Amino acid sequence: MEVKKATTIHDIARALNLNSSTISRALNDHPRVSQKTRDKVKAKAKELNYQPNNLAANLRTNKSNTIGVVIPFVSRYFFSTAIAGIEDIAQSYGYNVIITQTKDITEKEQESINTLLNSRVEGILISPAMYNDNIEHIQKAIDQQIPVFCFDRYAEGLQTTRVLMDDHKTALLMCDHLIQQGAQKITVLSGYKTASIYSNRQKGIIDSYIKQGIDLKHLNINEMELSTHKAYSYVKDLISKGKVPDAVYALNDMTAFGAIKAISENNLSVPEDVLVVGFSNEPLAELFTPSLTTVNQPAYEMGKLVAKKLILHLEDNEELLTSETSILKSELIIRESSLRKKRKI
Amino acid sequence: MEVKKATTIHDIARALNLNSSTISRALNDHPRVSQKTRDKVKAKAKELNYQPNNLAANLRTNKSNTIGVVIPFVSRYFFSTAIAGIEDIAQSYGYNVIITQTKDITEKEQESINTLLNSRVEGILISPAMYNDNIEHIQKAIDQQIPVFCFDRYAEGLQTTRVLMDDHKTALLMCDHLIQQGAQKITVLSGYKTASIYSNRQKGIIDSYIKQGIDLKHLNINEMELSTHKAYSYVKDLISKGKVPDAVYALNDMTAFGAIKAISENNLSVPEDVLVVGFSNEPLAELFTPSLTTVNQPAYEMGKLVAKKLILHLEDNEELLTSETSILKSELIIRESSLRKKRKI
DNA sequence: TTGAAAGCGCTAACAA
DNA sequence: TTGTTAGCGCTTTCAA
């Protein structure tokens, strides 16, 4: 079978009796090329179905016009929404985006970063894996002059730009709210402290207890894999042991839904018997019965912001700026699930 | 500031008094290189922090090891889950994935495909935009010998490999179920027929009516943007006009949730007064009150399958196979929202 | 088993 | 305004 080779600028040059460098200039709208030539070249390019080869251009210019994204799970609502923001910004600035998943596993994250470096991405946006015990692989990118910006989560000890939520303050305020609604014995369903977001949220909750002068022995912080299913089992178990809390503070919404299910199935009610709050404001939190009190995290804006910061950094090349932390505002959304009502008798 | 240039195979060659071609072979585990040299080269590479440059290798071999993905929205649950499957397969075969969003807009899709071609992806996985009135831009890729495989949705008139759900059959069965539960006047909330999935589901519903011998005048198919909000407004409006249907068949879950909200707010109950079913089996469908009858779409498996088919095609280069349609099994999940109960008085 | 040399398609400094 | 030329970092054929 005859495979016709792709048209190159040399083919166009030959067809027009021009030099390939003129073709290159014309196609890139370089100023020092006559309008006439430019038109002629573009017409011929179209005629010959010319498709530029970025690989070659990138090799030559040592610019790939690509940014890499490293996240735990694409399919998690928060991350896929952040990616939407990253994509939108990248596209508007003419950058490609390569996405890699780590599944919260350090080895995968190392691999990811390595492939991204091999592919000569110009910068990396990362939400580090939960259980990272070292960050050499991230540091390696920075050592190779590839900027690595963190969003949502960050790696302790890595001096770089971060775009985060104010997890500490938000958790503190939410805990205040629960206490204000009469809760004292709160069960927290948290991810592992090795991820900055969970460690900060835990601290916020503890600080709320301290501020309100409540004995910390009433606070039950439980670290677990944050899934609907795990939360369901855990809370069910808790209830069966007679340790019914005043409130369940789940550090994401899916977990809160699992908790609510376990509570309802045990002939207890939310919020009459147990208050429940979540974190993330998933699309369904509002529609759920009871509607879920949660925190609105501007994932899309976060993606946009961190992508914009990276691209501007790449284009300005402000070598001086080594780190900057931006905190995005999150918002408590108080709904039915945390508003204490008298039990209907 | 002194920017030290990245190490190349030439640097390694110089350091070891070898030729760069030997370095290349050693690093790629080419058989015709002595074990001793290989070890020496790899050690030196590590010592010098050598980072391979895929751009150069790709240009030389004319292989980018990258596949492009074109979808409407990354943040939609179905697509982000499919991407997870695509990523997993791609990674295991050593391919990168570039993801682009079309937002269901044809122009964006054209741009997407063009960038992917410029980046010399080896193949494209696409779920075409909803309102495509032409497919020239997709055909263009195929004309350039870049295979384009469709998943979930497909472009009419494009002869290529497709991995789909059996939308027609599934919709038919679901409609049968509703009728069996006593519904006759069904309101369908559908996306636009220009997308294959919606056109096929509509046909399935119509065929169910015909099969069951029910007059089609009782069937109200409404095309709209499928969002929770739009569904809410539409159903609310319907009820206020006194046109309460027996059942609402929403062609995705988010839309079903909107419909349920509108119904509940009008002092009607699901399923007592109106049956409601959805499509997709979003994570919360099960936890919702009432739990939502829907269709389980194996998005992750679909992503895996279509990615695997593409990669095997790329590696085998079976030029003969021009098209193949795989239909994945989807599953009706019957839950509370569609099971007719007597109204409690 | 290793080396020499050419070239993938493009850009850009310099020359004309 | 256009042409000449070199080279980005790698792979691969052919020769040694």
Side-chain angles (χ1 to χ4, degrees):
Chain A
M1 183 184 276
E2 171 182 2
V3 179
K4 53 176 177 306
K5 296 202 52 178
T7 310
T8 72
I9 53 173
H10 300 294
D11 300 323
I12 304 177
R14 218 170 301 121
L16 295 175
N17 253 316
L18 283 169
N19 189 281
S20 57
S21 61
T22 304
I23 310 298
S24 171
R25 283 187 282 247
L27 293 173
N28 291 310
D29 286 321
H30 189 285
R32 286 203 311 241
V33 91
S34 73
Q35 188 61 47
K36 213 179 112 195
T37 315
R38 191 191 315 261
D39 295 344
K40 222 166 47 180
V41 169
K42 290 193 174 174
K44 185 57 86 177
K46 184 159 279 175
E47 181 193 329
L48 298 179
N49 285 318
Y50 171 70
Q51 186 83 40
N53 185 336
N54 278 350
L55 254 42
N58 293 345
L59 175 61
R60 177 59 229 242
T61 55
N62 205 22
K63 282 207 45 159
S64 64
N65 264 293
T66 301
I67 60 184
V69 176
V70 181
I71 48 165
F73 296 95
V74 245
S75 58
R76 207 170 276 170
Y77 178 71
F78 174 83
F79 290 116
S80 62
T81 310
I83 291 174
I86 293 172
E87 286 278 356
D88 284 350
I89 290 293
Q91 198 161 345
S92 73
Y93 282 89
Y95 282 77
N96 284 334
V97 176
I98 297 184
I99 292 168
T100 59
Q101 296 191 89
T102 66
K103 306 197 167 176
D104 264 329
I105 297 169
T106 306
E107 289 73 40
K108 289 221 174 243
E109 190 173 278
Q110 290 165 340
E111 268 179 49
S112 284
I113 291 187
N114 208 38
T115 357
L116 293 178
L117 292 177
N118 288 352
S119 298
R120 290 295 190 269
V121 296
E122 297 186 29
I124 294 178
L125 300 178
I126 188 173
S127 205
M130 178 128 40
Y131 313 111
N132 282 354
D133 45 359
N134 79 73
I135 50 163
E136 278 171 39
H137 55 294
I138 307 182
Q139 190 60 51
K140 179 176 159 195
I142 297 177
D143 292 346
Q144 293 184 22
Q145 326 282 340
I146 306 299
V148 178
F149 284 18
C150 295
F151 66 101
D152 190 43
R153 308 179 185 177
Y154 58 90
E156 205 75 55
L158 196 72
Q159 211 190 20
T160 183
T161 295
R162 301 167 175 172
V163 177
L164 312 171
M165 315 288 326
D166 192 347
D167 287 298
H168 179 276
K169 184 176 160 200
T170 308
L172 187 147
L173 289 176
M174 184 64 96
C175 192
D176 284 357
H177 165 71
L178 287 174
I179 293 171
Q180 203 179 310
Q181 292 293 315
Q184 299 253 344
K185 290 190 304 182
I186 301 180
T187 286
V188 177
L189 307 180
S190 171
Y192 297 95
K193 254 204 307 286
T194 35
S196 55
I197 49 171
Y198 298 118
S199 120
N200 289 333
R201 291 177 198 172
Q202 288 186 20
K203 281 185 210 138
I205 294 170
I206 292 171
D207 287 347
S208 164
Y209 262 67
I210 294 172
K211 196 181 76 181
Q212 311 264 349
I214 303 178
D215 195 327
L216 283 170
K217 77 177 177 210
H218 295 309
L219 179 63
N220 167 26
I221 295 185
N222 195 265
E223 295 196 346
M224 56 195 296
E225 191 192 306
L226 290 185
S227 68
T228 305
H229 183 72
K230 289 276 163 75
Y232 172 78
S233 311
Y234 179 79
V235 173
K236 195 164 178 168
D237 195 50
L238 212 62
I239 295 174
S240 76
K241 287 182 183 150
K243 300 186 194 165
V244 181
D246 296 343
V248 173
Y249 188 173
L251 292 190
N252 74 25
D253 284 357
M254 294 312 291
T255 307
F257 296 133
I260 292 179
K261 192 177 175 207
I263 294 167
S264 313
E265 286 184 10
N266 280 274
N267 288 317
L268 293 169
S269 286
V270 178
E272 286 84 352
D273 301 302
V274 185
L275 305 176
V276 176
V277 300
F279 211 108
S280 283
N281 199 22
E282 299 255 346
L284 282 186
E286 184 186 356
L287 300 169
F288 209 73
T289 312
S291 60
L292 183 70
T293 291
T294 184
V295 174
N296 193 36
Q297 287 181 290
Y300 178 77
E301 284 74 21
M302 196 176 221
K304 277 181 75 163
L305 183 63
V306 74
K308 195 158 189 173
K309 283 195 177 293
L310 178 64
I311 291 174
L312 292 181
H313 174 83
L314 292 173
E315 311 213 320
D316 293 5
N317 216 355
E318 304 175 26
E319 307 253 5
L320 289 174
L321 190 64
T322 61
S323 91
E324 173 187 274
T325 300
S326 309
I327 307 286
L328 291 192
K329 202 172 121 187
S330 57
E331 190 188 359
L332 261 55
I333 313 270
I334 308 294
R335 299 206 184 94
E336 295 166 357
S337 70
S338 70
L339 292 175
R340 181 68 74 189
K341 299 187 208 164
K342 285 271 181 287
R343 184 118 180 74
K344 293 171 204 146
I345 305 169
Chain B
M1 182 185 275
E2 176 183 355
V3 179
K4 52 178 181 304
K5 296 203 56 181
T7 310
T8 72
I9 52 173
H10 300 293
D11 300 322
I12 304 178
R14 218 170 299 123
L16 295 174
N17 255 315
L18 284 168
N19 188 281
S20 56
S21 60
T22 305
I23 310 297
S24 171
R25 286 185 205 118
L27 292 173
N28 291 311
D29 287 320
H30 189 286
R32 286 202 311 237
V33 90
S34 73
Q35 188 62 47
K36 213 179 110 196
T37 315
R38 191 191 314 259
D39 295 344
K40 224 168 44 181
V41 169
K42 289 195 175 173
K44 186 56 89 180
K46 185 159 279 176
E47 182 193 328
L48 297 179
N49 286 317
Y50 171 70
Q51 186 84 42
N53 185 334
N54 277 350
L55 255 41
N58 293 344
L59 174 61
R60 177 57 228 242
T61 55
N62 206 20
K63 282 206 48 163
S64 64
N65 264 293
T66 301
I67 60 183
V69 175
V70 180
I71 48 167
F73 296 93
V74 245
S75 58
R76 207 172 275 172
Y77 179 72
F78 174 83
F79 289 117
S80 63
T81 309
I83 290 174
I86 293 172
E87 286 278 355
D88 283 351
I89 290 294
Q91 198 160 344
S92 74
Y93 282 88
Y95 281 77
N96 284 334
V97 176
I98 296 185
I99 292 168
T100 59
Q101 294 191 87
T102 65
K103 307 197 167 177
D104 264 328
I105 298 168
T106 305
E107 289 73 38
K108 289 220 174 245
E109 189 171 280
Q110 290 165 340
E111 269 179 49
S112 284
I113 290 187
N114 208 40
T115 355
L116 292 177
L117 292 176
N118 288 352
S119 298
R120 290 295 191 269
V121 296
E122 297 186 27
I124 293 177
L125 300 177
I126 188 173
S127 203
M130 177 130 38
Y131 313 111
N132 281 354
D133 44 0
N134 80 75
I135 51 164
E136 278 172 38
H137 56 295
I138 307 183
Q139 190 59 51
K140 179 178 159 194
I142 297 176
D143 292 345
Q144 293 184 21
Q145 327 281 339
I146 305 299
V148 177
F149 285 18
C150 295
F151 67 102
D152 190 43
R153 309 177 183 176
Y154 58 89
E156 206 75 58
L158 196 71
Q159 211 190 22
T160 184
T161 294
R162 300 168 177 172
V163 176
L164 313 171
M165 315 289 326
D166 194 346
D167 286 298
H168 179 275
K169 184 174 159 202
T170 308
L172 187 146
L173 288 177
M174 184 63 96
C175 192
D176 283 357
H177 165 72
L178 286 174
I179 293 171
Q180 202 179 310
Q181 291 294 314
Q184 298 253 345
K185 289 188 308 184
I186 300 179
T187 286
V188 177
L189 306 182
S190 171
Y192 297 95
K193 254 203 308 284
T194 35
S196 55
I197 49 172
Y198 298 117
S199 117
N200 289 333
R201 291 178 198 172
Q202 288 186 21
K203 281 185 209 137
I205 293 169
I206 291 171
D207 286 348
S208 165
Y209 262 67
I210 293 172
K211 196 181 75 180
Q212 311 263 348
I214 302 179
D215 195 326
L216 283 170
K217 79 177 175 210
H218 294 307
L219 179 62
N220 167 24
I221 294 185
N222 194 266
E223 295 195 348
M224 58 196 293
E225 190 193 308
L226 290 185
S227 68
T228 306
H229 183 72
K230 289 275 163 77
Y232 172 79
S233 310
Y234 179 78
V235 173
K236 195 164 175 166
D237 194 50
L238 213 61
I239 295 175
S240 75
K241 287 182 183 149
K243 300 186 193 164
V244 181
D246 295 344
V248 173
Y249 188 173
L251 293 189
N252 73 26
D253 283 358
M254 294 312 292
T255 307
F257 295 132
I260 292 178
K261 192 177 175 207
I263 294 167
S264 312
E265 286 185 9
N266 280 274
N267 289 318
L268 294 168
S269 285
V270 179
E272 286 84 350
D273 301 302
V274 185
L275 306 176
V276 176
V277 300
F279 211 109
S280 283
N281 198 24
E282 300 255 345
L284 282 186
E286 184 186 357
L287 300 169
F288 209 74
T289 314
S291 60
L292 183 70
T293 292
T294 183
V295 174
N296 193 38
Q297 289 181 290
Y300 179 77
E301 284 72 21
M302 196 177 223
K304 276 182 76 164
L305 182 63
V306 74
K308 195 159 190 172
K309 283 197 176 291
L310 177 65
I311 290 174
L312 291 181
H313 174 84
L314 291 173
E315 310 212 320
D316 294 5
N317 217 354
E318 303 174 29
E319 307 254 6
L320 289 175
L321 190 63
T322 61
S323 92
E324 174 187 274
T325 300
S326 309
I327 306 286
L328 291 192
K329 200 173 124 187
S330 57
E331 190 189 359
L332 260 54
I333 314 270
I334 307 293
R335 299 207 185 93
E336 295 166 357
S337 71
S338 69
L339 292 175
R340 180 68 73 191
K341 300 185 205 163
K342 284 269 182 288
R343 186 114 178 77
K344 293 170 203 149
I345 304 170

